[in-house]
Amino acid sequence: MIHYSKKDSWLVGLVLGSILVPLVLAVSFFLVGGIYRQVGISLTAIGLVTGAVVLLLTYPLYYQITSDELIVRCGILMRRHIPIALIDGVQSDNNPASAPAWSMDRLRVDYRKGTAPTFIMISPSDKLAFMDELARTALGLELRGERLVRT
């Protein structure tokens, strides 16, 4: 099943603002004209490039649980396949570090990459439904309250 990212309105607004502010300023400079026209062209380029980068890096953004792996998809560049058998636990986290998530209300998925422990932070829109499905899919993962633990 596919679980889409929860979206914090303030975070989406911040990102949209970083795209729209240069574009609005560009229109203003175009209207003034004269020597400001070149500034308007530069600001248009900045707004369009920022928008394209955000879109390419964050769309689509979802987490898919299959019979044997958790797939984290974030934009056209990131597609992480995590074998369910290597997941050690899942718990709530609100670490502000960069993550494939549009929300600070996150889950930390601890897993093993080879022999080294590592983690990824995600923000499914319904955390409990996500963890419940993962617990039903994965042998040895048990839902205890709001955490998944390896038994």
Side-chain angles (χ1 to χ4, degrees), residues 46-63:
I46 290 169
L48 292 176
V49 167
T50 303
V53 167
V54 167
L55 187 64
L56 291 172
L57 293 178
T58 63
Y59 183 82
L61 176 54
Y62 62 82
Y63 321 107

Side-chain angles (χ1 to χ4, degrees), residues 33-106:
I35 61 172
Y36 297 106
R37 190 171 184 82
Q38 186 61 42
V39 174
I41 292 170
S42 297
L43 287 171
T44 300
I46 290 169
L48 292 176
V49 167
T50 303
V53 167
V54 167
L55 187 64
L56 291 172
L57 293 178
T58 63
Y59 183 82
L61 176 54
Y62 62 82
Y63 321 107
Q64 182 177 9
I65 299 171
T66 67
S67 61
D68 60 342
E69 64 185 358
L70 167 62
I71 301 168
V72 178
R73 176 78 190 266
C74 185
I76 63 168
L77 300 175
M78 182 186 165
R79 187 176 294 155
R80 188 162 303 162
H81 295 261
I82 302 168
I84 289 178
L86 298 181
I87 295 175
D88 293 323
V90 180
Q91 62 187 350
S92 289
D93 197 329
N94 56 5
N95 186 330
S98 179
W102 274 107
S103 174
M104 299 306 284
D105 183 19
R106 299 175 175 179

Side-chain angles (χ1 to χ4, degrees), residues 109-147:
V109 179
D110 294 303
Y111 66 100
R112 287 170 275 126
K113 191 171 187 177
T115 58
T118 190
F119 68 93
I120 189 168
M121 291 178 293
I122 61 175
S123 64
S125 57
D126 187 341
K127 294 189 320 185
L128 288 177
F130 175 86
M131 289 194 293
D132 184 57
E133 181 183 350
L134 192 56
R136 284 185 283 114
T137 304
L139 293 174
L141 279 180
E142 182 179 294
L143 190 57
R144 292 186 185 161
E146 293 187 9
R147 295 180 58 167

